Amino acid sequence: MDFSLGQDRQMLVDSLRRLLAAKAPFAARKDGAFEGSGWSRALWQDMADLGAIGAWFDESHGGYGGSPFDIAVVFGEIGRALLTGPYLAALQAGHVLAAAGQTDALAALIAGTSVVTYAEEEADTWFDPAAITTRATPTGAGWVLDGAKTVVAAAGSADRLVVVAQAPQGLTTFLVEAGAPGLTIRDYLLVDGGSAGDIGFAATPAVLIGTAGEAASVIEAARALALVALAWEAVAVMDVLRDHTLDYLRTRKQFGQAIGKFQALQHRMATLALEIEQARSAAINAADRASGPRTTRERAVSAAKVTIGKAGSLVAEEAIQVHGGIGMTWDLALSHYAKRLMMIGHELGDEDHHLARYIALGQDIIPA
Amino acid sequence: MDLTYSASEEAFRSEVRAFLAAHLPQRLSDKVRKDQHLTRAEQEEWHAILQTRGWLANHWPVDWGGTGWTVMERFIFETETALAHAPRILPFGVSMIGPVLLKYGSEAQKRHWLPRILNGTDWWCQGYSEPGAGSDLASLTTSAVREGDVYIVNGQKTWTTLAQHATMMFCLVRTATGGKRQDGISFLLIDMASPGIEVRPIKLLSGDCEVNAVFLTNVRVPVANLVGEENRGWTYAKYLLTYERTNIAGVGASMAALDELRAIARSRQRHGRPLAEDPQFAARLARTEIELENMQTTNLRVLVEAGAGAAPVAESSMLKIRGTEIRQQIDDLTRRAAGVHARPWLPEAFEGGWNGAPVGPDWAGPVATRYFNDRKLSIFGGSNEVQREIITKAILEL
Ligand SMILES: Cc1cc2nc3c(=O)[nH]c(=O)nc-3n(C[C@H](O)[C@H](O)[C@H](O)COP(=O)(O)OP(=O)(O)OC[C@H]3O[C@@H](n4cnc5c(N)ncnc54)[C@H](O)[C@@H]3O)c2cc1C
């Protein structure tokens, strides 16, 4: 067994870390994530130039990697830098494009010249694609969409959207250009920075990608990769929170000693460290099983989401608590990491959702 | 045992309800229910409404404008006002400096300051914490040096809640060094308009601006504004910290928040059924309900004991710990119930008069902000760790 990242991935990690340290320091991120669209297009291009987007796809799709572990390490660095922007959505959109053989659109995504976001979730779907109600109707010339999507990453600042809709044949994916007729977007900032938006479609022209009615397995596989990405991002955020908190325990003095001398706090930090290592293992498991058979893959990614959900709340809340008043402040990086970690719980289904899913998937493999 | 309210307590409860129905402006209760920020004028309006009825400083002695209520009546009042989504009574004047002056203030100080609390002339803030003195409050370093009939005060206070509105600050200062740290602290009343005071807002992670740093540079404070004796301030400060026990668990506010959460759980559908019927959400909700039900009785037991003259130290700390944890759990469940709709951040929606469309259900807008803001509950008022220290000291007797 070998739990090292390997030389190529380590090089990618090192260069991303350098880039983000130079161009996305916390001082700029703190307020920048809440101004305008809340994310930087220039930095997106830098990320693409370094191969951070290409790393999500294999060579047959024009990428430079494509292993779930390649995806994992990129999102680990995104987490460590608290980078905002529609990276997770682009990961999902890109894998839908790849599965559909949309070579040109994918090449533009990998090159960084076209930012593609992903519109699946609706107000009442709770991450169950079967509940999607956005309708796709064939016309003489192509297709049109009618319906609404909610909290779509960078809805108002992306170039294109991959949209999941119900066609007469069943779940189907489409490509829609920003600015298409009948497209309305209400953009807003997010609690943890960056932006998203609600989207309305009214006879909006859309290009079919893939085979009509056969998107279910494609979007599930893309989501599995996104869950791997989120798990690694979450673990990286937890690592930062733990390190900042340990530093604070060593330096903050009350009652004439470092507060880290208080056993009540020591034991809680020990528990945090333990939970983070369990979360890391869950994230590794998810990346490992993500190329496996469906049930194995889906159980592992749900297991990871359950684990980072539980560990994430604990780490975020304890990090703030142990800091005392200063942990509540906007100017401290820690509070932004804590917010990001809590909000990861609201992406792609929460821990309850994935626990139920893990149980349901297990019914297939538990002997009667 | 008899866990029912007496006939007179029931009658009192009806009286409070009738008063709220008649006098609590819906404009205010709507804002409280929606977690919108109250303006200074709105806060003062509610204080004035209560004062008109004689209920603002309800725990003060009757001679000074109080009500003579029993602890149980005060508990009922606090619960009913919270359930009605009334603004909370700001504690700094009525519940903090008021009781200190009543016990330790001079006759002249009482006569001057107490009526001004009741009629809203003064807005008080609490200047205890400093950057280096939080849990270890006795290590505070803001100094006051006497020169004739004034003290010259230099130093910095921090986390000062609503100091941006305050006209007065009660402040712990160091007047002696060398001996036991607690023995060199004095209790001063400082006019916030004094030259040399600068208030700088501290933005919280939730985006709220409710706390401040207060810088004091050669601020001149009349010696007449010293409470009690010089170097005895620690005693007064501690009295203030342990004074307000009836509402420490915030049971009423948690009951109101839980009512809202139950309504959300009934109306919010997930995968084709209300959250209230989702086994996992329902289990989380039920655990919180059970805790709160238990807490209510724990709280009443402590109140009955306190009413009989006991000073339940460990139990007060228990109320603070579990009461704040329950409130944080309710916030946590409300956040979970919002799903993806907890993510949008629309700070403008927290201001009154906002009539934009919500993203998702109309209750979802403030849930994340509320969740993050209420992390403070386990930090201030003596952190929950410090409360646990108090409990172990009281029970372990090592
Ligand atoms: C929103 C907000 C409003 C506030 N309003 C006011 C106000 O109006 N006026 C005012 O004076 N103050 C106010 N405070 C300050 C508050 O009282 C302090 O934050 C609190 O006393 C904790 O101090 P600290 O922040 O310095 O944390 P620290 O004392 O540095 O504590 C850091 C961590 O160490 C833990 N710790 C400390 N000592 C021990 C120990 N012996 N054993 C185990 N653990 C320990 C603490 O529990 C905490 O988790 C406010 C704070 C907040 C967050």
Side-chain angles (χ1 to χ4, degrees), chain A residues 285-308:
Chain A
N285 285 346
D288 178 64
R289 321 283 202 264
S291 349
R294 182 203 172 232
T295 303
T296 311
R297 176 191 76 201
E298 291 301 315
R299 272 170 65 88
V301 296
S302 280
K305 197 66 169 54
V306 169
T307 308
I308 61 163

Side-chain angles (χ1 to χ4, degrees), chain B residues 94-376:
Chain B
V94 170
S95 301
M96 292 184 169
I97 187 61
V100 167
L101 290 175
L102 282 162
K103 190 162 166 87
Y104 299 106
S106 68
E107 204 52 31
Q109 285 172 336
K110 286 190 237 187
R111 251 191 263 278
H112 181 72
W113 298 112
L114 296 180
R116 293 164 63 98
I117 293 174
L118 297 181
N119 66 25
T121 309
D122 288 323
W123 180 302
W124 286 88
C125 65
Q126 179 186 24
Y128 275 26
S129 304
E130 298 180 3
S135 301
D136 182 15
L137 188 56
S139 67
L140 63 91
T141 58
T142 295
S143 67
V145 178
R146 187 162 173 171
E147 278 180 17
D149 54 4
V150 294
Y151 285 102
I152 310 292
V153 179
N154 279 287
Q156 188 203 329
K157 295 293 169 181
T158 192
W159 313 124
T160 324
T161 299
L162 299 181
Q164 70 266 37
H165 296 327
T167 57
M168 290 296 297
M169 170 167 71
F170 54 92
C171 190
L172 294 182
V173 294
R174 183 156 298 288
T175 36
T177 49
K180 202 169 155 238
R181 297 180 313 167
Q182 284 81 352
D183 293 342
I185 293 172
S186 299
F187 197 112
L188 287 184
L189 311 178
I190 301 183
D191 185 339
M192 292 297 281
S194 312
I197 293 190
E198 191 198 340
V199 177
R200 286 189 212 153
I202 300 174
K203 189 170 168 187
L204 293 183
L205 80 170
S206 49
D208 296 297
C209 285
E210 62 189 51
V211 296
N212 304 271
V214 179
F215 296 84
L216 303 113
T217 313
N218 294 324
V219 177
R220 299 168 72 83
V221 181
V223 169
N225 283 9
L226 173 73
V227 175
E229 293 169 43
E230 197 176 89
N231 296 331
R232 295 289 311 278
W234 187 250
T235 309
Y236 320 144
K238 280 203 345 202
Y239 172 74
L240 182 159
L241 288 177
T242 53
Y243 177 77
E244 185 58 337
R245 292 229 174 82
T246 52
N247 200 25
I248 196 169
V251 164
S254 285
M255 282 165 63
L258 191 66
D259 279 351
E260 295 285 308
L261 176 58
R262 280 201 204 93
I264 287 168
R266 280 192 298 271
S267 67
R268 181 83 157 152
Q269 301 273 319
R270 176 158 82 184
H271 300 153
R273 63 183 170 200
L275 279 174
E277 291 167 23
D278 176 303
Q280 296 183 78
F281 193 89
R284 290 182 189 275
L285 180 59
R287 287 207 178 86
T288 307
E289 282 179 343
I290 291 166
E291 276 297 333
L292 182 55
E293 194 70 26
N294 299 344
M295 171 53 46
Q296 213 183 334
T297 295
T298 308
N299 196 352
L300 289 167
R301 285 168 53 208
V302 174
L303 291 185
V304 168
E305 249 191 87
V313 173
E315 288 79 359
S316 285
S317 291
M318 292 177 190
L319 294 183
K320 199 274 172 170
I321 294 171
R322 190 48 52 90
T324 54
E325 287 173 349
I326 289 171
R327 182 59 217 246
Q328 290 175 336
Q329 271 169 35
I330 296 170
D331 295 341
D332 183 62
L333 288 187
T334 313
R335 165 186 77 74
R336 289 171 192 270
V340 288
H341 293 126
R343 299 179 61 209
W345 195 51
L346 306 165
E348 61 277 15
F350 305 138
E351 305 307 329
W354 184 77
N355 51 13
V359 178
D362 61 358
W363 50 266
V367 297
T369 304
R370 161 62 86 171
Y371 164 84
F372 287 114
N373 186 288
D374 273 352
R375 301 315 304 171
K376 71 188 174 192

